[in-house]
Amino acid sequence: ILLAAGALMTVIGFLGCCGALRESQCLLGTFFVFLMIILVAEIAGGVWAYMNRAELNKLVQESVRDTVRRDYGKDDVTTKTFDMIQKTLKCCGAESYASWANSAYNGVGEKSQMEIGISALS
């Protein structure tokens, strides 16, 4: 979503620059209309997020929990991004440090030597 929004803003910005350089009322008018549409969409998104903040909070917690459980420690980009988010926000896991108990980083889901058996050690 963020990449699409960034690409759209780039195209709209280019439209505004072309309109200003050519002094075209049509291009500048189109630029203004697109900016108004984006402003209304941002306001609508903010109102929706405010009205559904409990559901949004639950969705974010589930997403963080799933990321910690499946991807952390396996995917380098996900690991570095998640580390940066936690350092910046000064948080740990979805709810607390206990979120890490069932993570792939903690070795959950992988076979250890104890699980393989004594015969495999020889």
Side-chain angles (χ1 to χ4, degrees):
I1 293 174
L2 293 176
L3 287 174
L8 181 65
M9 290 301 294
T10 302
V11 170
I12 292 172
F14 182 73
L15 184 71
C17 286
C18 287
L21 284 175
R22 294 183 179 202
E23 297 178 5
S24 170
Q25 288 182 349
C26 181
L27 284 176
L28 288 175
T30 306
F31 175 69
F32 177 75
V33 168
F34 280 133
L35 285 182
M36 285 292 118
I37 291 171
I38 291 171
L39 178 65
V40 169
E42 286 180 353
I43 291 171
V47 169
W48 178 86
Y50 181 76
M51 298 300 287
N52 297 308
R53 62 184 174 267
E55 293 175 31
L56 195 58
N57 190 23
K58 183 180 175 184
L59 181 69
V60 168
Q61 281 186 345
E62 288 176 8
S63 176
V64 168
R65 195 176 307 118
D66 289 343
T67 300
V68 167
R69 188 177 307 130
R70 286 182 313 191
D71 300 331
Y72 189 86
K74 289 184 178 180
D75 181 23
D76 192 43
V77 173
T78 303
T79 303
K80 287 180 180 179
T81 302
F82 203 79
D83 285 345
M84 185 215 34
I85 290 170
Q86 289 188 113
K87 286 177 186 175
T88 304
L89 298 178
K90 295 180 174 71
C91 64
C92 184
E95 292 96 18
S96 67
Y97 64 91
S99 299
W100 296 98
N102 295 323
S103 71
Y105 183 74
N106 214 13
V108 174
E110 297 177 4
K111 289 188 176 183
S112 66
Q113 289 181 345
M114 296 302 284
E115 291 174 329
I116 294 172
I118 294 174
S119 63
L121 292 175
S122 61

